[in-house]
Amino acid sequence: MTSSTPAPPPAGPLPADLAARLKRTADGLLPAIAQQYDTGEVLMLGWMDDEALHRTLTTGRCTYWSRSRQEYWVKGDTSGHVQHVKSVALDCDADTVLVKVDQVGAACHTGDRTCFDADVLLAPDTAPTAPPAPAGADTTTPAQ
């Protein structure tokens, strides 16, 4: 770490009620979606364990768990492409975290703005349209 990088916070548990609600993978991880807070742009997907989530909640910087390197990494410590945390939300099933951030520079390790820029499988201008609802169909009831 450089001298401009704050020291990691002391290890601390998540609040018990939050920790009890989380539905983790078999290896103790939660997918964490990083989204640009002001545009809604989806930037990347990373993984967090309880400690990475704790660090993210207490430092204002995104901390992830690297599955390949088996270590914590704070987004931007190496690249300078920092994610400043604006808000953190848990999804309705408590198995995914949405972190709204102010992204500085590229979010993807390849240098692209997002991790979803390079390999578009279906572009908005070529997406199929849904067929019209059958005559007499109730279109006011939300899908279940």
Side-chain angles (χ1 to χ4, degrees), residues 72-134:
Y72 295 103
W73 56 282
V74 179
K75 182 67 177 161
D77 272 1
T78 303
S79 65
H81 299 160
V82 177
Q83 291 177 339
H84 297 285
V85 176
K86 297 294 187 178
S87 68
V88 180
L90 191 58
D91 81 329
C92 58
D93 294 321
D95 63 3
T96 303
V97 175
L98 175 64
V99 186
K100 293 189 178 184
V101 301
D102 190 8
Q103 176 70 48
V104 176
C108 189
H109 71 282
T110 64
D112 285 335
R113 169 72 181 162
T114 84
C115 292
F116 302 99
D117 288 344
D119 199 6
V120 177
L121 302 178
L122 183 65
D125 57 342
T126 61
T129 58

Side-chain angles (χ1 to χ4, degrees), residues 1 3 5 11 13 15 21 32 34 36 41 47 53 64 68 73 77 84 99 101 103 121 141 144:
M1 280 195 233
S3 60
T5 303
R21 292 172 43 212
Q36 179 64 34
E41 180 180 33
W47 294 92
L53 181 55
Y64 299 99
S68 59
W73 56 282
D77 272 1
H84 297 285
V99 186
V101 301
Q103 176 70 48
L121 302 178
T141 305
Q144 298 295 317

